[in-house]
C-alpha cells in the first residue's frame, strides 16, 4: 500500500477496508475492491458482476442485465468510501446519504461476468454535503454516468 500521508493516495483496499468505510452488507454491498483512492479527489473501485446476483433472476430471465439504479448505487457507494476516507470519518458512525441524482445516462448493458470499474471524483467537497461525478466502465468503455449529491450525517436514532 502506498503511504497516504506523503502522497494522499490509498490502494488497493480489500473488501475488509471497504466494509469498514461503508455500512452496507450483502446483498446491498456493491463495491468489492478499491484500486486507487486519491484523498480529496477521486476513487477507482471494482464491482465484480456475477450471475449469482439475486436481481438477475428477474432482470431479465434469459437476458440478465444489471439494473441501472444498482449501477448508480454502486457509483454512490464508491463515492461514500471516497468521502469517508477523505473527511477522516472512518469509525465515526457517520453515514453518507444520497440527496440527488442528476444526468444519469446508461450507455451499455452491464451483464454477468464483467468487472465494472467505478470511477468517481469530487465536484464539490464540504463537511456535510458533497457533490460527485461518476462513471461506470467496462473494459474502458462507458456503461453509465451520473452526477450525484450526498449528505454526511449521523445515523437515525433507534
Amino acid at each position: 500500500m502506498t503511504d497516504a500521508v506523503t502522497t494522499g493516495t490509498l490502494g488497493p483496499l480489500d473488501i475488509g477496508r471497504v466494509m469498514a468505510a461503508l455500512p452496507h452488507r450483502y446483498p446491498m454491498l456493491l463495491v468489492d475492491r478499491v484500486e486507487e483512492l486519491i484523498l480529496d479527489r477521486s476513487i477507482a473501485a471494482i464491482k465484480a458482476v456475477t450471475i449469482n446476483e439475486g436481481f438477475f433472476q428477474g432482470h431479465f430471465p434469459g437476458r440478465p442485465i444489471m439494473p441501472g439504479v444498482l449501477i448508480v448505487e454502486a457509483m454512490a457507494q464508491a463515492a461514500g468510501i471516497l468521502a469517508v476516507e477523505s473527511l477522516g470519518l472512518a469509525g465515526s458512525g457517520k453515514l453518507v446519504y444520497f440527496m440527488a441524482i442528476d444526468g444519469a445516462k446508461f450507455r451499455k448493458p452491464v451483464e454477468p461476468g464483467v468487472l465494472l470499474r467505478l470511477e468517481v471524483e469530487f465536484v464539490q467537497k464540504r463537511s456535510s454535503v458533497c457533490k460527485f461525478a461518476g462513471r461506470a466502465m467496462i473494459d474502458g468503455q462507458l456503461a453509465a454516468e451520473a452526477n450525484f449529491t450526498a449528505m454526511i450525517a449521523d445515523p437515525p436514532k433507534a
Side-chain angles (χ1 to χ4, degrees), residues 11 19 30 45 53 93 101-103 106 110-111 119 128 134 147-148:
M19 291 173 69
L30 299 175
E53 312 280 355
I101 304 167
D102 297 304
F106 304 95
V110 176
E111 300 171 313
E119 299 174 352
S128 61
N147 296 312
F148 40 95

Side-chain angles (χ1 to χ4, degrees), residues 45-49 66 71 110 114-118 136-138 143:
I46 299 293
K47 164 63 180 151
V49 182
M66 186 174 183
I71 298 168
V110 176
V114 302
L115 293 178
L116 189 63
R117 183 178 168 91
L118 310 164
M137 310 288 290
I138 302 170

Side-chain angles (χ1 to χ4, degrees), residues 2-3 22 32-34 47 74 83 86 91 97 110 126:
T2 307
D3 182 2
L22 295 176
D32 294 313
R33 177 179 75 237
V34 173
K47 164 63 180 151
S86 294
Y97 293 101
V110 176
R126 296 194 178 138

